[in-house]
Amino acid sequence: MEYKKLLANEVEIFYKNEKLTNNLSKLDYTKEDILEAESRLKRFSSYLKKVFPELEETNGIIESKVVKLDKLKEHLNLNLPMYIKLDSHLPISGSVKARGGIYEVLKFAEEIAIKEGMLSLEDDYEKLASPEFKEFFSKYKIAVGSTGNLGLSIGIISAKLGFHVTVHMSSDARQWKKDLLRSKGAIVIEYPDDYEKAVFEGRRIASEDPMCHFVDDENSLDLFMGYSVAGKRLFDQLKEMGIVIDDDNPLNVYIPCGVGGAPGGITFGIKTYFGENAKVYFIEPTKAPCMALGLATGLHNDISVKDIGLDGQTLADGLAVGRSSGLVSKIMEDILDGCLTISDDKLYPYMKALHDEENIFIEPSAAAGIHCCSTLENNKEVTKGIHLVWATGGNMVPSEEKNQYLQGKLD
Ligand SMILES: *Cc1c(COP(=O)(O)O)cnc(C)c1O
């Protein structure tokens, strides 16, 4: 198999999805599921606004801006207009995980509170901030395996609600993320092996405890639906900005992919709302191209990058994943336009260019999407419409570490 060989050789590729149908009716999920998730987030908005003052401005809604990048477009010599979706600056946890991760914990909290007769859908959820609820939630546990940003989201919201929360992390997760989590009251357990091992152990320990809810990055439909709300929000947002998306002016979206949950859910949301007027591409490091490998071979989560001799170690720590989510990979077969890979040595330059030209800082993983603009213009895959780079993380990075990143000093 051609792609398998290219990926094994760590070559930058563009894999165009030949199995694309854009047939949403084939899927088990619909627009109704997205709307249900959005309603749930609305129910929680009064609670969120009360406990996170930063959400005052958006009335308890966790959302990010879309910004035009004229200077970076010029710098990169692009033909088409370039925009960025700043999930890197989402409130509460400063990454795309503030969508799915927080959503899943809120859903769990709602379910148990309703089941115990403490809450009904019509209530003002502000009452969840009371000591009575904190006490109630403290009887339950939340656990998650994470490369970093998912752990941050789950840890912060779980601790805020009052849950007992444990984050199982691979040791390649950044130190400041572990420190921050511990400072919020989460328990952090580190694993010297990789991310898959951290998830495996977390899942095993949680499965032995009936009071524990495990947030399963590889299989969670709740995470997926939380992320999918982004598609609807983006639809409303572009409309509000006066950006017309149609056949003549399609939306081309580039999202960094790890296990696939975040970019997969967002893609489902985007395709549901924009239909074929949107094209979505994932970008992964050449050292950990799990989604490209699973799709190109048709093996989905039955193949790992280790099977082709890669160790999955990359500077893009948020994307250091060896095996994609089977749930997501199978859905993407129908609705994802393609996958690209990027070598690690380009991440810092893209991150720095965005910072120098536009004064926006995002983490190296999150800068991967920028690579898609020139690549897809040059190979004529994208010839019209607008580029939308999905920035997935960076706002929580401490300033000292930020400076080191910008000087290219971190590994
Ligand atoms: C988690 C993450 C991604 C990708 O999300 P997956 O659900 O793992 O595919 C991309 N960028 C950053 C910064 C992330 O933290």
Side-chain angles (χ1 to χ4, degrees):
M1 162 135 336
E2 180 72 2
Y3 278 105
K4 199 164 151 183
K5 209 177 211 173
L6 293 169
L7 292 171
N9 290 330
E10 299 181 23
V11 176
E12 286 185 347
I13 59 142
F14 165 53
Y15 167 71
K16 191 175 165 112
N17 182 9
E18 299 129 10
K19 295 181 184 158
L20 179 77
T21 62
N22 275 324
N23 185 0
L24 290 163
S25 65
K26 261 180 82 176
L27 306 178
D28 294 335
Y29 320 105
T30 66
K31 188 183 265 190
E32 295 309 310
D33 296 304
I34 301 176
L35 291 170
E36 191 198 315
E38 198 202 23
S39 305
R40 181 166 288 112
L41 290 168
K42 265 194 203 128
R43 287 198 291 277
F44 273 96
S45 60
S46 61
Y47 165 75
L48 292 172
K49 188 168 125 182
K50 184 169 175 73
V51 297
F52 296 105
E54 58 195 295
L55 287 173
E56 184 71 40
E57 202 185 318
T58 55
N59 230 346
I61 298 297
I62 303 164
E63 197 43 75
S64 72
K65 294 193 171 90
V66 172
V67 172
K68 199 157 185 242
L69 302 178
D70 287 333
K71 295 195 191 105
L72 187 61
K73 170 194 183 269
E74 204 68 23
H75 178 79
L76 297 172
N77 263 317
L78 298 175
N79 293 316
L80 304 179
M82 183 183 190
Y83 292 83
I84 193 165
K85 175 68 175 160
L86 289 175
D87 276 9
S88 46
H89 293 64
L90 277 175
I92 302 180
S93 67
S95 84
V96 69
K97 307 298 192 311
R99 296 187 184 280
I102 289 176
Y103 174 76
E104 174 153 349
V105 175
L106 296 179
K107 180 164 185 263
F108 177 67
E110 185 182 61
E111 274 167 5
I112 55 176
I114 288 176
K115 194 165 139 238
E116 294 297 317
M118 295 178 70
L119 183 71
S120 75
L121 294 180
E122 294 72 34
D123 288 351
D124 183 343
Y125 282 25
E126 198 187 295
K127 74 184 207 183
L128 295 175
S130 68
E132 183 198 357
F133 273 93
K134 271 204 140 171
E135 166 71 25
F136 170 66
F137 290 132
S138 72
K139 290 185 289 182
Y140 294 84
K141 295 175 191 161
I142 305 267
V144 63
S146 168
T147 53
N149 286 334
L150 182 64
L152 272 188
S153 288
I154 302 289
I156 292 171
I157 189 67
S158 300
K160 187 62 93 178
L161 280 158
F163 287 113
H164 184 281
V165 56
T166 306
V167 182
H168 301 267
M169 281 185 151
S170 49
S171 52
D172 57 348
R174 305 225 69 92
Q175 189 59 41
W176 66 266
K177 291 181 182 171
K178 300 172 199 169
D179 296 342
L180 181 68
L181 275 170
R182 289 184 172 124
S183 80
K184 302 269 179 195
I187 295 164
V188 178
I189 302 180
E190 294 179 53
Y191 296 85
D193 305 283
D194 59 2
Y195 163 80
E196 246 184 283
K197 185 74 193 295
V199 174
F200 179 83
E201 279 301 306
R203 188 187 287 128
R204 189 185 60 75
I205 295 166
S207 71
E208 289 163 4
D209 185 346
M211 296 300 275
C212 184
H213 177 80
F214 181 68
V215 178
D216 193 335
D217 202 9
E218 287 172 22
N219 303 296
S220 168
L221 196 54
D222 291 342
L223 282 179
F224 188 83
M225 284 307 158
Y227 291 123
S228 75
V229 174
K232 176 179 188 292
R233 300 256 185 88
L234 179 69
F235 186 80
D236 296 341
Q237 205 167 18
L238 292 186
K239 201 179 257 179
E240 208 167 281
M241 292 171 75
I243 300 170
V244 178
I245 298 299
D246 57 21
D247 196 35
D248 293 326
N249 194 52
L251 173 68
N252 304 288
V253 185
Y254 317 121
I255 320 176
C257 176
V259 71
I266 293 168
T267 303
F268 172 66
I270 287 177
K271 291 279 174 157
T272 300
Y273 278 85
F274 292 91
E276 302 206 11
N277 293 329
K279 288 183 172 193
V280 185
Y281 303 87
F282 287 177
I283 175 99
E284 297 173 286
T286 51
K287 291 176 182 294
C290 62
M291 188 63 75
L293 180 65
L295 287 174
T297 57
L299 292 172
H300 304 288
N301 57 329
D302 288 332
I303 189 165
S304 155
V305 301
K306 293 209 171 108
D307 299 332
I308 58 168
L310 303 176
D311 64 7
Q313 298 289 323
T314 160
L315 290 177
D317 56 339
L319 313 179
V321 178
R323 189 187 301 275
S324 67
S325 154
L327 166 78
V328 175
S329 179
K330 283 159 201 162
I331 299 172
M332 291 307 106
E333 196 160 83
D334 276 296
I335 64 174
L336 184 69
D337 294 84
C339 293
L340 295 87
T341 58
I342 177 173
S343 66
D344 274 17
D345 57 13
K346 291 190 178 146
L347 295 170
Y348 285 134
Y350 280 129
M351 178 197 69
K352 194 161 168 13
L354 178 66
H355 181 264
D356 293 352
E357 299 297 325
E358 307 279 354
N359 201 22
I360 296 172
F361 175 82
I362 61 177
E363 61 187 81
S365 302
I370 300 171
H371 181 64
C372 301
C373 304
S374 351
T375 307
L376 296 176
E377 274 195 14
N378 291 341
N379 70 10
K380 305 277 190 283
E381 168 71 10
V382 168
T383 55
K384 56 182 182 174
I386 63 170
H387 297 295
L388 181 69
V389 172
W390 210 282
T392 43
N395 200 36
M396 302 275 281
V397 176
S399 54
E400 208 172 291
E401 185 133 341
K402 221 181 253 187
N403 289 333
Q404 284 179 310
Y405 272 142
L406 289 168
Q407 290 164 28
K409 277 189 192 155
L410 276 176
D411 59 14

